[in-house]
Amino acid sequence: IQGIATSKRMNKNGRVFDPEGAICYLPIPLLWAHDWEEPVGRVTAVKATPQGLFFEARIIDGGLRWAHEFWAHLKSGAYSRVSVSGWGNDRWTLHEISVCQEGASQDAVISVVKSVNDPRIVYWDGRKNETIHRDVRRSIAPDFQSQVPRIGAR
C-alpha cells in the first residue's frame, strides 16, 4: 500500500506531526487500528513530500489468522485511512503507522492498494484503476520505480 501518513496540519487531537521533522528507522511496524497484538505488515519507505509524509508498506502474506480479514477490509475501502504514533515535538520519531477506519489527520489516507498475486491496482485518490503486467520477482513494476521514493536499504 502507499499513501500519506501525516501532514503539516493540526490533527483532531490538537497535534502536528510535521513530515519534515520525522525521524524514521525502517522497517516500521504497520498495525491494524494501533493494535500491537495484530501487526499487519511493515512500512518499507518513508519520505517527506509537499503533500505530507509519503509511505509505502508491505502487507503480511496470510500467515496470521487475521490476515485475510484485514486484506478484505483493505481492498473494500472499509479501512482507507491511516494514523501515526510517535514521540517528540519539532523532531519526532515515528513508531508505527496504523491502518484504520478514521485517523486523527484528515490528510492521512491510503492512495494505492496492489498485490503481487493480482495485477490490478486500486487507486483511492481518484485515478482510474488499472491492470499492470510485471515480473512478480520485483517488488514494484519497472515503470513505477522512478515514481516511488525510497529511503534506506531493503
Side-chain angles (χ1 to χ4, degrees):
I1 63 174
Q2 297 173 353
I4 297 294
T6 189
S7 70
K8 291 185 178 194
R9 291 202 278 186
M10 186 176 295
N11 68 23
K12 292 178 187 176
N13 301 324
R15 180 88 196 267
V16 175
F17 285 104
D18 186 347
E20 297 290 333
I23 301 167
C24 307
Y25 301 100
L26 297 173
I28 296 166
L30 182 71
L31 305 178
W32 190 358
H34 297 288
D35 186 350
W36 285 85
E37 298 287 321
E38 294 185 347
V40 293
R42 60 189 172 139
V43 177
T44 57
V46 176
K47 182 177 182 173
T49 70
Q51 295 80 27
L53 189 65
F54 170 87
F55 76 96
E56 180 176 286
R58 302 269 175 205
I59 305 300
I60 55 178
D61 65 0
L64 301 172
R65 63 178 165 72
W66 55 87
H68 294 293
E69 180 184 358
F70 172 76
W71 184 245
H73 286 306
L74 189 63
K75 284 181 63 175
S76 74
Y79 285 78
S80 61
R81 312 290 296 192
V82 294
S83 181
V84 299
S85 177
W87 293 99
N89 291 317
D90 294 335
R91 300 284 296 157
W92 58 281
T93 303
L94 179 62
H95 293 293
E96 55 98 350
I97 295 178
S98 283
V99 176
C100 50
Q101 289 181 307
E102 183 179 341
S105 172
Q106 64 186 21
D107 301 318
V109 296
I110 297 170
S111 56
V112 177
V113 176
K114 55 187 171 179
S115 169
V116 171
N117 297 326
D118 185 347
R120 290 172 293 186
I121 297 178
V122 178
Y123 295 106
W124 289 341
D125 58 4
R127 289 181 279 175
K128 183 181 175 191
N129 294 344
E130 64 181 291
T131 300
I132 60 169
H133 301 282
R134 63 175 183 239
D135 182 347
V136 296
R137 294 171 293 182
R138 304 186 100 179
S139 61
I140 294 182
D143 55 331
F144 282 85
Q145 286 181 345
S146 62
Q147 298 174 20
V148 178
R150 301 266 187 236
I151 297 178
R154 294 220 176 220

